[in-house]
Amino acid sequence: MITKTAFAGSGGQGVLSMGYILAYAAMRDKKNVTYLPSYGAEVRGGTANCTVCISDEEIASPVASAPDYAIVLNKPSMLKYQGIIRKGGIMLVNSSLVDAKAEREDIEVIYIPANKLALELGSERAVNMIMLGAFAAKTGVTSLESLAGGMSDVLKSKSAGLVDLNKKGIERGAEYALHER
Amino acid sequence: MTETIFKRPKYLKDAVFHYCPGCGHGITHRLVAEVIEELDIADRSICVPPAGCAVLAYDYFDIDVGEAAHGRGAAVATGLKRVLPDRIVFTYQGDGDMAAIGTAETIHAANRGENITTIFINNGTYGMTGGQMAPTTLVGQKSTTTPGGRDTKRDGNPLRLSEMLALLDGTIYIERVSVTSPKNIRAAKKAIKKAFQIQMDRLGYSLVEVLSPCPTNWKMSPVDSCKWIDEYMTKTFPIGVIKDNSENK
Amino acid sequence: MTEKVLMSGNHVIGEAAVRAGCSFYAGYPITPQNELTEYMAGAMAKLDDGTFIQAESEIAAINMLIGASMAGARVMTSSSSPGISLKQEGISFLSALELPAVIVNCMRGGPGLGNIAPSQGDYFQATRGGGHGDYRNIVLGPASGQEICDLVTKAFDYADEYLTPVMILLDGMMGQMMEPVVFPEYRDISTLPEKTWKIDGAKGRPRRVIKSLLLDVNVEEAHNWKLVRRYEQIKDKIQMAESYKTSDAKLTVIAYGIAARIAKSAVDRAREEGIKAGLLRPVTLWPFPERSLREAASNNTEFLVYEMSTGQMIEDVRLSLNGSSRIHFHGRPGGPVSTPADIYEQIKKYYPR
Ligand SMILES: Cc1ncc(C[n+]2csc(CCOP(=O)(O)OP(=O)(O)O)c2C)c(N)n1
Ligand code: SF4
C-alpha cells in the first residue's frame, strides 16, 4: 500500500515542515518514504507545497498524479488540489483561512478552523500541527504517537517549548477531526 | 687556472630554449632557476606554466610541473597550494594569459591572499599566437589586430594589472622589473627572490611583473627592443616596487 | 552511521563524498544545488585537511580541482546546467591530464538561463563530452537517495582507478527530494593505492610533469589511443542498469534518473491493467548499458524511451539496438515533470497490439 499526500499553502505557514515531519515519523516506523518539496523561485513567489509518499514497498514515483490526501492551508491551494485529488480521497482544509467550500462530491472534505484552535492553545505556531494531527487521526497514515515522536525528534534541538506546543496541537487537531466536526 | 663564472643554473634543464633571440622569457627563466637553487627549494617547488610562449616551461625547469589552461594558472595553483601548503607553488604567466582571459582567476586568487607567487611576463603582445593586441599593448602600438596602432576609443587603454592587484588587501608584495640591462636584470632577480621568500615565510600573495622584450612581434632588433622598453614602455608601466607589505606582517 | 537518515539528494552527495575521503571542494552558487555547496562548506571545515573554496566562477572552481587533483587529493565540484557549461574546458583538461575528479550536475531547465525546474537536457553534454577533444567521461545517473550515496562512493573509486573525471548526473528534483539513506563508514584514504603520478615536489624522486600539450602528432595520437583503450576497459567493466519486469514485457520503457521512477509507477499501473510493460533503467549513462538493452531486445519487446528532454538518450538506445527493435519516444523538455498517469497513457498509446 502506498499513500501520497500533498501539502500546500503559502510560504511561512509551515507547509514544508509539516510534510517533513510526516515523512520523518513514517521513516521512524520503518516505512519507505519520499519527501519532495517545491523549491527556489516557486517558494519565493509565495506558494509552498510538498508531496510525501509512504509505503511498505519500494516507492517508484515520488510525484503524485492524483494524491490520496491533501492538506491545504489557503484558498489557491484548495482550488488547485480539489481538482487533482483522487476519487475517494480526503482533503483537509484550514477553514480559518479558506472561506470557500470545495466543489467535489466524490472526495471527503474536512474543514478544520486551525488558526482558531491554535489560538486557544496559546499560539498560531501550532496551526500546522493541528492540521497534521487531524490528518493522522482521519487517515491512519501514521499513528498520533509516531507523529508526536517524529516531531519531537526533528525539533527537540531547536526548542523544547515548541515541542510541547506542537504535541498539544497534534492532539487537539485529532480530537477535533474525530469528535467535534 | 680558469674559473667558471657563468654556467647553466642547476635547475634549468640541458635543453635549447625555443624562445626567439632576444626574448625576455629566456632571461626570466634563468633568474627563476637561479633563485630556486639559491633558496634550495627545488625538491618542494611546483611550477604552473601558462598557455603562451612559455607553455613549454616544463622542458626547461627541472622541477615538478602541472599545466594550466590559458588563463587558469591562479586557480590551478590555488588547488595545489591548498592541498600542499608547505610546498612552493608559482605560476608563470603572460599578459594575455593573466590580464585578459585569466583576470578573474588572478584577481580572486590575489584577493584571497593565496600564498603563491606569480611571475608575470608583460611583453605587450600575444607572442604565441603571432602578435595580436594584448591588454598591455601601449596606446598607438601596432599589432596584428591593431594595424593602425592601439586606438583607445576602439581598443581601450593599457591595463595596469599590477597596480590593480596592489589595491587588494590579500596581496603582500608586487614589483615591476625589466630585463633590459645587467643592472635591471640584477634588480629583477632580487625581486623574484624576495617574492619566493615571501611565500616561504607564508606571508601571502607575491607577484613580479617583468617587462620583457618580444623582438619578433615588435619587429625590432633585440637591442632596439630593450631601448623601447626603457624609453616607452616604462612610461605606461613604471618599474619599481608597487606594493610591499612584507614588513608589516 | 548504519541508521537511516532522511536527507535531500544534495546533502546525500555531500555526506557520501566526505565519507569517500573527499577533502577538496570548490564551487560557485547556482540553484538547484546550493544545498550541496553549503553542506561542503560545513563538512570541509570539520576535516583537519579539508579545503572548501567558494570560487569566483565555475571555471575557477574546476581549475582549482585540477590543481588539487594534481596534488593527490580526492576532489569534487558541483553545479547546475549553466555552470556545467562553464566547466567544460576544465573537464576536457582533466580528461587529457588523466586526473581523477567527481563533478556533479544537478540539471535544470535550459538552454540558456532557462529555469530551475528539473530537467534532463544535459544528457548529450555529459555523455558526449561537452568540452573539446576526443574524450569520454563516466556518467552515473542515480534514481534514489540511497543510489546517490552508493554512486557517489563508487564515483571516487572509478575516478582513481580509471584516472578520469566522473560525472554524477541528476536533476533538480533528485537534488531536493528527501529519502532515507544509510551511509557507509568513513573511508580511510591512507589505505588507497598511492598516486604515483601526483606532483608534490620532486623530493627523492625524478621530477614529474602533468601536461596535455603534445605537439608531436604521433605522441598525441598515442595518448588518445591510450585513452581509448581505457574507455574500452570501462565499457567492459562498469555498465549498470536496472531491469524491472522486463522478462515478459511487450513494451519496455527506457528511462533514467527521476524519469525512471515516474515510469516505474506507470509500469506498475499498466501491469494492474494486464498490460505487459517493463522498465529498463540505465544507471551508467556512459558507458551506456548496451548489453542490458540487447538482452531485453532478445525477448521480442518494443521500447518506449522516455526522457525529460526532446530526444537525446534515444540516440544511445538506437545505437545499442542497431535496428533490432521498434523504438518509440516520449520526451518533455524545459522543466515540467510528467506524472505516472501521463506515462501510463504513453504506454497504452504505444503498446503493441
Ligand atoms: C581558451 C584559449 N583561448 C585561446 C588560446 C590561444 N592562445 C594561446 S597563448 C595565447 C596568448 C598568449 O599571450 P600572452 O599570454 O601574452 O603570452 P606570450 O605568448 O606573449 O608570452 C592565446 C590567445 C588558448 N590556448 N586557449
Ligand atoms: S614570440 Fe616574443 S615572447 Fe614569444 S618567444 Fe618570441 S620573442 Fe619571446
Side-chain angles (χ1 to χ4, degrees):
Chain A
M1 238 282 273
I2 179 164
T3 60
K4 299 194 175 190
T5 308
F7 297 83
S10 42
Q13 285 187 311
V15 171
L16 299 185
S17 57
M18 234 193 305
Y20 180 77
I21 285 169
L22 175 64
Y24 187 90
M27 179 184 77
R28 241 169 128 254
D29 285 350
K30 311 227 177 323
K31 305 272 192 194
N32 290 311
V33 300
T34 62
Y35 163 83
L36 183 62
S38 58
Y39 61 88
E42 225 184 322
V43 178
R44 235 150 269 152
T47 67
N49 65 71
C50 61
T51 306
V52 174
C53 301
I54 301 175
S55 173
D56 293 317
E57 277 104 56
E58 181 198 330
I59 297 168
S61 169
V63 179
S65 324
D68 303 292
Y69 309 117
I71 300 181
V72 295
L73 301 189
N74 64 13
K75 195 168 169 186
S77 302
M78 187 189 81
L79 296 177
K80 178 177 169 196
Y81 281 90
Q82 74 167 359
I84 62 171
I85 211 164
R86 82 160 158 81
K87 198 170 147 201
I90 301 175
M91 179 161 75
L92 287 95
V93 181
N94 179 359
S95 56
S96 300
L97 299 179
V98 182
D99 51 11
K101 294 277 176 214
E103 280 156 20
R104 277 190 47 189
E105 302 281 316
D106 58 349
I107 61 173
E108 187 181 348
V109 184
I110 299 169
Y111 298 93
I112 313 278
N115 289 62
K116 178 170 157 278
L117 299 180
L119 281 174
E120 287 166 13
L121 290 179
S123 167
E124 282 198 327
R125 294 179 76 187
V127 165
N128 58 355
M129 290 303 120
I130 287 173
M131 294 301 291
L132 206 49
F135 164 79
K138 275 308 287 185
T139 63
V141 163
T142 179
S143 70
L144 294 180
E145 294 73 43
S146 294
L147 203 54
M151 179 275 299
S152 106
D153 275 4
V154 171
L155 295 177
K156 68 179 172 234
S157 61
K158 288 194 182 139
S159 153
L162 186 59
V163 169
D164 282 346
L165 175 71
N166 279 345
K167 267 195 186 130
K168 285 191 202 129
I170 290 169
E171 282 157 21
R172 184 72 187 97
E175 195 180 84
Y176 185 89
L178 292 177
H179 306 299
E180 294 178 34
R181 285 187 306 129
Chain B
M1 203 181 99
T2 52
E3 192 190 346
T4 307
I5 53 164
F6 190 78
K7 63 174 172 39
R8 179 177 290 278
K10 195 166 163 198
Y11 297 106
L12 216 43
K13 287 173 77 75
D14 191 5
V16 178
F17 281 141
H18 72 288
Y19 300 115
C20 309
C23 172
H25 277 302
I27 304 169
T28 311
H29 275 27
R30 187 187 167 89
L31 298 181
V32 170
E34 284 177 4
V35 164
I36 287 174
E37 182 178 350
E38 285 166 25
L39 293 173
D40 194 19
I41 52 173
D43 63 359
R44 60 187 180 107
S45 290
I46 302 168
C47 172
V48 178
C53 281
V55 68
L56 294 176
Y58 49 75
D59 278 345
Y60 310 126
F61 291 126
D62 197 7
I63 57 172
D64 275 7
V65 177
E67 171 191 278
H70 191 26
R72 315 299 173 215
V76 172
T78 296
L80 277 160
K81 184 74 181 187
R82 291 288 187 109
V83 176
L84 302 166
D86 57 354
R87 306 303 199 280
I88 303 303
V89 178
F90 69 99
T91 68
Y92 185 106
Q93 301 176 259
D95 40 20
D97 194 80
M98 223 176 113
I101 193 167
T103 319
E105 286 79 5
T106 301
I107 287 185
H108 286 276
N111 191 49
R112 288 190 302 268
E114 297 294 342
N115 189 26
I116 57 175
T117 301
T118 289
I119 308 299
F120 169 29
I121 303 296
N122 177 355
N123 59 11
T125 187
Y126 280 27
M128 184 181 220
T129 43
Q132 297 83 4
M133 181 184 72
T136 45
T137 298
L138 301 189
V139 175
Q141 187 181 342
K142 286 189 175 153
S143 75
T144 58
T145 49
T146 53
R150 185 176 191 159
D151 173 351
T152 57
K153 283 217 185 73
R154 186 189 54 214
D155 310 314
N157 288 282
L159 191 84
R160 281 184 282 266
L161 186 64
S162 290
E163 279 83 352
M164 286 167 64
L165 293 174
L167 295 174
L168 303 176
D169 291 340
T171 56
I172 299 301
Y173 169 66
I174 297 174
E175 179 164 353
R176 184 180 289 119
V177 299
S178 80
V179 286
T180 52
S181 68
K183 176 168 158 270
N184 287 341
I185 290 172
R186 273 196 297 278
K189 180 172 168 185
K190 213 173 125 213
I192 292 170
K193 196 166 183 175
K194 175 158 180 170
F196 275 93
Q197 188 65 55
I198 280 168
Q199 181 179 168
M200 290 164 71
D201 295 342
R202 296 174 182 256
L203 298 184
Y205 186 87
S206 55
L207 176 146
V208 178
E209 174 179 339
V210 182
L211 302 184
S212 172
C214 175
T216 303
N217 286 305
W218 295 356
K219 302 191 174 31
M220 293 178 200
S221 73
V223 173
D224 286 349
S225 299
C226 288
K227 259 197 217 146
W228 191 79
I229 289 179
D230 291 343
E231 283 172 22
Y232 295 102
M233 215 175 162
T234 48
K235 294 219 167 69
T236 302
F237 297 106
I239 58 175
V241 175
I242 296 169
K243 177 175 184 178
D244 186 357
N245 244 352
S246 59
E247 296 305 313
N248 309 332
K249 282 273 161 172
Chain C
M1 213 191 288
T2 46
E3 105 204 43
K4 277 188 181 169
V5 287
L6 188 60
M7 256 192 184
S8 73
N10 283 327
H11 284 179
V12 172
I13 296 170
E15 183 60 26
V18 175
R19 283 165 186 269
C22 174
S23 62
F24 189 98
Y25 175 95
Y28 186 85
I30 183 168
T31 310
Q33 62 81 58
N34 292 318
E35 299 79 10
L36 173 53
T37 307
E38 289 157 5
Y39 193 88
M40 293 309 281
M44 289 297 106
K46 283 190 207 123
L47 299 181
D48 294 337
D49 61 346
T51 301
F52 168 87
I53 303 178
Q54 179 172 333
E56 60 273 22
S57 70
E58 292 83 353
I59 301 175
I62 193 87
N63 282 283
M64 290 171 184
L65 244 66
I66 291 176
S69 185
M70 282 176 176
R74 282 197 151 184
V75 302
M76 181 169 84
T77 185
S78 63
S79 188
S80 179
S81 310
I84 297 292
S85 291
L86 284 184
K87 289 188 195 291
Q88 292 305 326
E89 175 195 50
I91 296 173
S92 166
F93 272 75
L94 283 162
S95 303
L97 297 169
E98 302 175 77
L99 291 173
V102 175
I103 298 152
V104 178
N105 182 0
C106 193
M107 290 181 281
R108 58 188 247 178
L113 214 41
N115 56 41
I116 58 170
S119 160
Q120 296 183 328
D122 303 347
Y123 181 91
F124 275 158
Q125 186 197 50
T127 57
R128 299 309 192 258
H132 59 285
D134 202 351
Y135 72 94
R136 299 289 188 281
N137 292 149
I138 296 174
V139 183
L140 307 174
S144 71
Q146 188 62 53
E147 195 174 53
I148 290 175
C149 169
D150 300 345
L151 291 183
V152 167
T153 310
K154 278 207 171 85
F156 281 94
D157 287 341
Y158 288 157
D160 279 357
E161 183 176 352
Y162 298 109
L163 299 175
T164 174
V166 178
M167 181 172 281
I168 304 285
L169 191 68
L170 72 174
D171 64 275
M173 189 186 285
M174 290 290 306
Q176 299 291 326
M177 180 169 68
M178 291 192 187
E179 290 185 281
V181 176
V182 178
F183 286 100
E185 292 302 325
Y186 286 90
R187 192 68 178 269
D188 176 3
I189 60 159
S190 68
T191 62
L192 297 173
E194 199 196 332
K195 293 182 172 173
T196 51
W197 43 262
K198 72 176 176 190
I199 52 174
D200 57 353
K203 192 172 190 127
R205 60 158 172 80
R207 63 110 182 211
R208 293 174 185 153
V209 173
I210 300 181
K211 69 180 176 89
S212 67
L213 184 77
L214 302 168
L215 290 172
D216 180 333
V217 292
N218 296 316
V219 175
E220 176 72 65
E221 184 185 9
H223 179 62
N224 269 274
W225 284 124
K226 176 179 155 195
L227 295 181
V228 168
R229 282 193 298 279
R230 190 174 293 146
Y231 298 149
E232 290 303 325
Q233 209 186 351
I234 294 171
K235 275 191 200 167
D236 188 43
K237 291 226 177 105
I238 73 163
Q239 290 184 25
M240 277 185 278
E242 179 196 352
S243 298
Y244 181 69
K245 301 187 177 168
T246 49
S247 57
D248 64 340
K250 289 205 165 10
L251 182 69
T252 303
V253 182
I254 303 182
Y256 72 97
I258 195 72
R261 294 277 290 266
I262 294 163
K264 202 179 212 175
S265 286
V267 165
D268 284 341
R269 164 106 187 266
R271 286 274 170 177
E272 280 166 22
E273 311 286 327
I275 297 171
K276 287 187 176 164
L279 171 72
L280 200 147
R281 176 174 72 86
V283 175
T284 51
L285 302 176
W286 197 91
F288 198 69
E290 307 168 336
R291 287 195 290 262
S292 306
L293 260 74
R294 291 199 197 112
E295 201 180 298
S298 68
N299 293 336
N300 250 339
T301 177
E302 293 188 11
F303 292 95
L304 167 60
V305 176
Y306 163 47
E307 300 171 24
M308 287 152 66
S309 46
T310 54
Q312 301 193 21
M313 183 178 67
I314 191 172
E315 294 199 358
D316 283 333
V317 173
R318 288 203 184 106
L319 288 168
S320 303
L321 297 176
N322 201 13
S324 74
S325 313
R326 276 194 81 177
I327 303 166
H328 311 278
F329 181 73
H330 174 66
R332 204 172 169 190
V337 180
S338 292
T339 64
D342 299 337
I343 306 306
Y344 171 70
E345 290 305 319
Q346 296 296 323
I347 291 175
K348 279 208 305 199
K349 179 169 157 195
Y350 292 112
Y351 192 67
R353 262 164 283 268

